[in-house]
């Protein structure tokens, strides 16, 4: 499901040369640099920090907090899917060229809660597919 980020890396996604997708971020890519490059390319970007997240409940709480989900977020997988396919809560005035979600410490979360990580990854992949053909695609980087 998740692929390695192909050459030319993040620049390829931001320029449109690489299709939107669910990719593994190379460890050498500093998260703040990813955010800065996305902003320079007129992409909306958000960091999901998964340090200390060991189960579904903690993952969903962290999504709500780090991503600024709306009050109607129901803290379950369906509600996560709803938020990721209705990005009205994330949009600002004007259009973005795309949306970039960086999920940091993914490996640690995946080791602590493998079944929950697989479900979360499937929800993220579905959201990427949902936005793939739109004017502002969604790309998720698992770091």
């Amino acid at each position: 499901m998740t692929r390695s980020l192909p050459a030319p890396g993040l620049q390829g996604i931001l320029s449109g040369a690489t299709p939107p997708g669910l990719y593994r971020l190379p460890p050498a890519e500093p998260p703040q640099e990813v955010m800065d490059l996305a902003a320079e390319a007129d992409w909306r970007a958000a960091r999901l920090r998964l340090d200390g997240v060991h189960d579904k409940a903690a993952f969903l709480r962290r999504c709500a907090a780090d991503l600024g989900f709306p009050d109607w977020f129901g803290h379950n997988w369906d509600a996560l899917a709803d938020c990721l396919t209705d990005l009205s809560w994330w949009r600002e005035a004007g259009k973005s060229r795309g949306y970039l979600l960086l999920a940091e410490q993914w490996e640690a979360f995946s080791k602590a809660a493998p079944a929950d990580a697989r479900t979360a990854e499937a929800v993220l992949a579905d959201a990427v597919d949902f936005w793939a053909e739109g004017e502002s695609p969604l790309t998720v980087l698992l770091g």
Side-chain angles (χ1 to χ4, degrees), residues 15-81:
S15 70
T18 301
L22 180 65
Y23 297 106
R24 296 232 180 260
L25 183 67
E29 293 278 347
Q32 189 55 53
E33 185 175 317
V34 170
M35 297 294 107
D36 293 344
L37 289 171
E40 289 171 15
D42 197 26
W43 280 58
R44 287 271 297 144
R47 292 170 77 172
L48 175 60
R49 294 172 176 95
L50 298 175
D51 52 304
V53 173
H54 301 291
D55 60 19
K56 172 186 174 181
F59 177 82
L60 294 171
R61 279 193 305 274
R62 190 65 58 90
C63 285
D66 284 4
L67 303 179
F69 280 174
D71 292 338
W72 53 260
F73 176 61
H75 293 271
N76 59 56
W77 296 126
D78 289 337
L80 177 63

Side-chain angles (χ1 to χ4, degrees), residues 115-141:
D116 292 334
R118 282 191 300 275
T119 302
E121 194 170 333
V123 172
L124 293 168
D126 287 347
V128 166
D129 290 345
F130 179 86
W131 292 105
E133 300 302 320
E135 291 180 25
S136 299
L138 171 67
T139 288
V140 177
L141 300 176

